[in-house]
Amino acid sequence: MFRMGVIVAVLASLATGGVASAQPRDEFNELSASTPWQVVDGVETREFTLKGKVIVQQERIGGKVSTMTEDRSGRGAVMCVLETYVMLLAANEVCQINDDETRSSLMSAISRIGEFAERNSIEPITRREIVSRAESAGEQALEAATADSHLAQLKQQCTGPQGFGEAFLQLRKMGVSKLFKEQVDDLLSVERPAVMGPCR
């Protein structure tokens, strides 16, 4: 079974920087303090909107608050895209694609998204911690895709008609460097809290 450890050093080299900016956290804390709770079907709930059209929905049951966030900016959920790119970088390694352009483009994208997420987190977190979380999620997703597989099955994940190898080939045909740069430019064009949902 492939482990994400083969790219830990690569990700660690990208995960530099300080703690997140206080601004998104301050906005979150201010709205949390000022938004009243409402009782819906016996459950206390509230909803408020952060900059960039990021919706926060909270429920309070027995004094415990659960929080869900949803990016409605139309640009995509930053943390979801980060995890996807980390998984693609892992697939590039495990399938031995040996495509330096794709690897370099993904590393650049991960670095840019990590920097944005650090600056726009609603919790105190460093870029290293952000990338580490994405790495863990990417590992789980990749292992789920190849769980309990034999070598032939793993090879099919890499080389079959729906495999990673074919996907990377199509990316190269589209111009991988330009494609990833344009995608990330659009994703990061609106300053907003970096959240996970919706992830699709």
Side-chain angles (χ1 to χ4, degrees), residues 57-69:
Q57 297 173 319
Q58 294 184 314
E59 288 186 354
R60 184 167 62 186
I61 301 175
K64 184 177 180 180
V65 177
S66 60
T67 301
M68 295 179 291
T69 53

Side-chain angles (χ1 to χ4, degrees), residues 118-139:
E118 178 185 62
R119 187 173 68 248
N120 289 285
S121 176
I122 58 177
E123 59 179 313
I125 191 170
T126 66
R127 198 182 320 173
R128 180 177 297 278
E129 292 170 319
I130 289 167
V131 174
S132 178
R133 288 184 187 182
E135 173 203 335
S136 177
E139 177 182 41

Side-chain angles (χ1 to χ4, degrees), residues 112 180-190:
R112 291 181 61 197
F180 283 150
K181 183 181 184 304
E182 290 178 348
Q183 286 181 345
V184 176
D185 284 348
D186 184 66
L187 175 72
L188 307 183
S189 63
V190 176

Side-chain angles (χ1 to χ4, degrees), residues 4 7 11 76-92 102 106-107 109-110 113 130-131 133-139 141-142 164 168 171 180 183-184 187 195-196 198-200:
M4 291 280 286
I7 61 168
L11 296 178
V78 172
M79 298 307 294
C80 177
V81 176
L82 177 61
E83 288 188 4
T84 299
Y85 280 14
V86 169
M87 189 176 71
L88 286 174
L89 181 59
N92 187 68
T102 298
L106 284 168
M107 287 170 58
I110 290 167
I113 297 170
I130 289 167
V131 174
R133 288 184 187 182
E135 173 203 335
S136 177
E139 177 182 41
L142 191 63
F164 289 117
F168 283 121
L171 285 173
F180 283 150
Q183 286 181 345
V184 176
L187 175 72
V195 299
M196 188 66 199
C199 195
R200 54 178 177 264

